[in-house]
Amino acid sequence: MNIDLAIKNGSDILKNKLIPNPQLDSEILMATTINSDRKYALLNSNNLLEKKDLNKFFNLVKQRSLGEPIAYLTNKKYFWNSEFYITNDTLIPRPDTELVVENILNLTKQKNKINILDIGIGSGCILVSILKERENFFGTGIDISKKCLKISKINADNLGVGTRLKLYKSDIDKFNLGKYDLIVSNPPYIKKLKLKYLEKDVVEFEPKLALNGGLDGLSVIRKVIKKSSQLIKKNGKFILEIGFDQKNKVINLLKKEGFYINSAQLDLAKNDRCIVSTKI
Ligand code: GLN
């Protein structure tokens, strides 16, 4: 079977399973199968596939037809201005989280050699993107998942910032190392009982550890705010990603811990998503 026919068959299978972009997904999975990109697959569509590649391709199509996200099947996701290595141990970087990166870059235009802490670094998409943009900044990332730390290390090295990033496996409660000019976190903030109502590809495939914010959705955010107020320098900036219905509660928590609220911002879907504050 040639590449063209395999892509068509793959697309039909995905279409029958009501997967939203069957043709595109089939092309991407073919590119992954032959370790190449879509352009190569489409320009060489008459090439015959070996049996092992056909098997690999239709296995990927099968997984996709069961709802597994493309990012986990290709182990790639584009975020800010880099491609990140992703596995199902990390959340898939969201376009909404680019708002967090944008804020940090705006806040640090005039800064030199600052130390940034990322609490729950996951794939590293936030901190690695910042370090890539700001060549004299230093990063520290913590996570309770050892696998996430490995992935963020891979991303930091691949994107050339590995020597400026320190990683620690730690719960935020137990982390007491250093004082930071800027702290960022995208903690798990979904209410435990609401997890099952998230989109199927999220709830069935993404790590609960990165999503579950306990009964009220704020149990991790609370810890992160409390600890950040000790780890941050005076006048340091704190940038937090939050759930769409958490703005007022989070602002109160921040104020209680001595933060001044600079702004609360909306994501692409016009939901409250990011709070910028300053330690006073
Ligand atoms: N924004 C993610 C979602 O809606 C949740 C991320 C998080 O809990 N930090 O699936």
Side-chain angles (χ1 to χ4, degrees), residues 31-45:
T32 303
T33 301
I34 57 175
N35 293 319
S36 188
D37 54 16
R38 268 177 71 221
K39 191 165 140 194
Y40 178 89
L42 297 178
L43 289 175
N44 295 277
S45 61

Side-chain angles (χ1 to χ4, degrees), residues 91-92 94 96-97 185-190 195 198-199 202 206 208-213 241-243 267 273:
L91 216 56
I92 300 169
R94 311 280 204 261
D96 292 331
T97 301
S185 184
N186 176 12
Y189 53 65
I190 311 283
L195 284 171
L198 294 175
E199 283 174 46
V202 178
E206 298 205 59
K208 297 284 179 304
L209 199 60
L211 295 164
N212 185 356
E241 181 172 322
I242 58 160
D267 65 15
R273 186 62 67 208

Side-chain angles (χ1 to χ4, degrees), residues 115-128 131 138-146 148-153 156 161-172 175-178 180 182-186 231:
N115 281 307
I116 300 181
L117 172 68
D118 185 339
I119 301 170
I121 186 168
S123 63
C125 67
I126 299 175
L127 189 50
V128 170
L131 294 179
F138 296 89
T140 301
I142 68 167
D143 210 292
I144 43 175
S145 158
K146 206 172 166 183
C148 280
L149 292 173
K150 271 195 182 153
I151 292 164
S152 52
K153 173 74 181 138
V161 304
T163 53
R164 286 183 287 127
L165 178 65
K166 287 189 191 141
L167 296 164
Y168 298 93
K169 183 183 178 309
S170 176
D171 197 304
I172 182 57
F175 188 76
N176 296 305
L177 201 68
Y180 300 87
L182 189 150
I183 298 182
V184 59
S185 184
N186 176 12
L231 290 166

Side-chain angles (χ1 to χ4, degrees), residues 10-264:
S11 171
D12 287 343
I13 294 169
L14 297 177
K15 201 171 182 176
N16 283 335
K17 289 282 163 85
L18 306 177
I19 298 299
N21 302 298
Q23 176 70 23
L24 176 64
D25 285 6
S26 186
E27 290 170 13
I28 293 172
L29 295 178
M30 177 56 72
T32 303
T33 301
I34 57 175
N35 293 319
S36 188
D37 54 16
R38 268 177 71 221
K39 191 165 140 194
Y40 178 89
L42 297 178
L43 289 175
N44 295 277
S45 61
N46 290 327
N47 287 10
L48 286 177
L49 289 163
E50 289 175 27
K51 189 148 197 294
K52 83 170 194 334
D53 280 345
L54 272 177
N55 284 340
K56 186 174 165 193
F57 174 70
F58 284 108
N59 267 330
L60 289 171
V61 169
K62 169 93 196 205
Q63 285 170 278
R64 180 69 192 121
S65 75
L66 297 171
E68 181 146 4
I70 278 282
Y72 289 150
L73 296 174
T74 60
N75 297 115
K76 285 177 193 154
K77 181 74 187 178
Y78 207 82
F79 177 87
W80 194 249
N81 58 17
S82 305
E83 189 175 89
F84 283 82
Y85 168 67
I86 295 297
T87 76
N88 58 8
D89 296 305
T90 77
L91 216 56
I92 300 169
R94 311 280 204 261
D96 292 331
T97 301
E98 291 178 337
L99 182 63
V100 173
V101 173
E102 206 178 313
N103 267 300
I104 296 175
L105 291 175
N106 279 334
L107 288 165
T108 56
K109 272 191 192 131
Q110 318 293 341
K111 303 273 188 220
N112 237 318
K113 296 192 173 167
I114 63 169
N115 281 307
I116 300 181
L117 172 68
D118 185 339
I119 301 170
I121 186 168
S123 63
C125 67
I126 299 175
L127 189 50
V128 170
S129 297
I130 302 292
L131 294 179
K132 214 184 141 203
E133 298 259 3
R134 299 274 189 262
E135 283 175 9
N136 57 20
F137 286 11
F138 296 89
T140 301
I142 68 167
D143 210 292
I144 43 175
S145 158
K146 206 172 166 183
K147 287 178 176 161
C148 280
L149 292 173
K150 271 195 182 153
I151 292 164
S152 52
K153 173 74 181 138
I154 290 171
N155 282 318
D157 286 342
N158 284 348
L159 298 170
V161 304
T163 53
R164 286 183 287 127
L165 178 65
K166 287 189 191 141
L167 296 164
Y168 298 93
K169 183 183 178 309
S170 176
D171 197 304
I172 182 57
D173 285 340
K174 303 194 180 86
F175 188 76
N176 296 305
L177 201 68
K179 281 271 184 188
Y180 300 87
D181 301 284
L182 189 150
I183 298 182
V184 59
S185 184
N186 176 12
Y189 53 65
I190 311 283
K191 290 190 181 101
K192 188 169 190 245
L193 301 174
K194 291 273 165 73
L195 284 171
K196 59 176 181 284
Y197 303 112
L198 294 175
E199 283 174 46
K200 183 173 166 257
D201 51 344
V202 178
V203 58
E204 284 186 10
F205 296 95
E206 298 205 59
K208 297 284 179 304
L209 199 60
L211 295 164
N212 185 356
L215 275 182
D216 68 354
L218 294 167
S219 60
V220 184
I221 289 189
R222 235 180 248 116
K223 290 199 288 182
V224 167
I225 293 178
K226 207 170 168 52
K227 203 54 189 267
S228 293
S229 91
Q230 296 159 23
L231 290 166
I232 200 164
K233 291 182 190 167
K234 192 166 181 282
N235 291 323
K237 296 281 184 216
F238 183 33
I239 294 90
L240 193 56
E241 181 172 322
I242 58 160
F244 71 98
D245 55 355
Q246 295 175 330
K247 181 173 114 178
N248 292 332
K249 285 185 192 132
V250 171
I251 285 180
N252 284 335
L253 291 169
L254 284 165
K255 284 182 176 163
K256 248 194 247 160
E257 294 297 332
F259 288 94
Y260 167 82
I261 310 302
N262 297 93
S263 64

